[in-house]
Amino acid sequence: MSRLVKTSGIVLRHAPHSESSRYIHWLTRDHGRLVTIAKGVQRPRNRMLGQFDLLYTCELIYYARDRDAVYITSEIAAMETRPELRSDWRAATASIYCADLAGLLAPPHEPVTELFDLLDSALDEFACRGWHAPSLFLFELRILELMGVAPRLHECASCRKPLPPGSTARFSSRQGGMLCSACEDRNATYSVGADVLAILKNWELAKGWSATRTARCSIRQLSAIRTLLGDFLLYHLDLKPGRRNNTLDMLMPLMDTAGAVESA
């Protein structure tokens, strides 16, 4: 027997089901990742027409049955449409990457309140303020925190001793973060400068996105952070690097030495 379920959802993607209907892939606050069919949605008088699109946040009502893999959509009402992402390809590219990452890590049919709120906030950030590399890297740090595998930056990941402030240390994805001189294994680590470590620590403690917007990062520092987080995501979340590398290869060359987006 079916039941009506109401939740908030972010559209991860949608695709044709028939001439007039579409599959919609969602990240929902209360039920994780799921797929619905919006029947007849492309007919001119359908009440759901124009109420959803890529990266919209919507109120979703659907018919759910325990045995169904795909649910039938009852109603959709757009809450956040983010029109800026239709005219700013850099912000849109970063937003799609974040949505893909969240969707990949979200379990199906389980509450993901914190992950949903993180993605919703990141999409608003890019829509309202444009592409900014530190904001994308902060999103990745927050994802790692939610998955319970955040890199240890304030203490040695091996012996748990505090790292001396201002010191250059070595980083190991396998060990889970920074290593002190007594624990470092040069065959499995690389050096992280004190400046890069300080930036990451500041972002880790930040309450919102403002810390990344005020950060003055050089290309060298951003490249180091890109490498560190990419290696960590690959090792701990088993994510293939291709999509991330392609996204950042398109976006990072358009940045000046302060890490800010150049004028279009």
Side-chain angles (χ1 to χ4, degrees):
M1 182 175 179
S2 63
R3 65 189 188 280
L4 277 175
V5 177
K6 180 179 178 180
T7 188
S8 299
I10 297 171
V11 179
L12 300 179
R13 59 186 179 276
H14 55 88
H17 169 63
S18 66
E19 289 186 2
S20 62
S21 304
R22 296 193 75 81
Y23 288 111
I24 310 175
H25 296 251
W26 302 90
L27 177 68
T28 66
R29 182 192 299 276
D30 305 307
H31 304 284
R33 191 179 71 252
L34 57 85
V35 182
T36 66
I37 296 176
K39 291 188 175 181
V41 72
Q42 293 181 256
R43 294 172 182 156
R45 296 185 180 181
N46 190 287
R47 65 181 182 276
M48 291 184 286
L49 182 65
Q51 292 298 307
F52 71 92
D53 202 352
L54 181 66
L55 305 178
Y56 277 25
T57 298
C58 305
E59 182 180 84
L60 168 67
I61 302 176
Y62 63 94
Y63 293 97
R65 292 191 300 182
D66 293 339
R67 295 183 180 180
D68 287 347
V70 178
Y71 303 125
I72 303 301
T73 309
S74 174
E75 296 181 35
I76 303 174
M79 295 190 295
E80 293 290 343
T81 62
R82 305 183 176 94
E84 301 87 351
L85 298 181
R86 272 68 193 168
S87 58
D88 184 344
W89 73 265
R90 287 170 282 192
T93 299
S95 297
I96 291 169
Y97 166 75
C98 291
D100 285 348
L101 180 57
L104 183 64
L105 297 175
H109 315 303
E110 298 289 340
V112 288
T113 302
E114 291 180 309
L115 181 59
F116 178 92
D117 289 344
L118 173 63
L119 178 59
D120 196 50
S121 174
L123 297 180
D124 286 343
E125 173 70 10
F126 287 124
C128 294
R129 304 180 70 180
W131 147 251
H132 194 59
S135 298
L136 187 146
F137 294 145
L138 178 58
F139 179 83
E140 292 180 331
L141 276 173
R142 293 289 182 262
I143 283 280
L144 289 167
E145 290 173 7
L146 291 179
M147 296 297 107
V149 290
R152 292 185 178 272
L153 303 173
H154 298 267
E155 62 182 12
C156 176
S158 180
C159 69
R160 302 295 191 266
K161 291 181 180 179
L163 296 171
S167 62
T168 298
R170 299 192 69 80
F171 184 87
S172 170
S173 294
R174 178 172 59 84
Q175 294 287 348
M178 307 303 298
L179 297 177
C180 66
S181 57
C183 297
E184 68 181 38
D185 176 2
R186 294 186 182 276
N187 293 322
T189 64
Y190 48 89
S191 179
V192 176
D195 56 339
V196 172
L197 184 56
I199 291 169
L200 289 170
K201 287 179 178 179
N202 183 47
W203 292 352
E204 185 183 55
L205 298 174
K207 299 298 183 182
W209 302 101
S210 59
T212 64
R213 291 287 173 174
T214 57
R216 305 297 294 176
C217 301
S218 68
I219 288 294
R220 177 190 61 81
Q221 291 166 335
L222 289 172
S223 295
I225 293 169
R226 170 181 173 173
T227 299
L228 183 151
L229 289 177
D231 187 61
F232 203 84
L233 287 163
L234 175 64
Y235 186 87
H236 288 277
L237 300 182
D238 196 27
L239 298 178
K240 296 180 180 179
R243 180 61 183 273
R244 182 178 189 267
N245 288 339
N246 291 339
T247 297
L248 293 176
D249 285 345
M250 284 191 293
L251 294 172
M252 291 190 73
L254 299 176
M255 298 167 55
D256 63 23
T257 56
V261 177
E262 293 180 344
S263 299

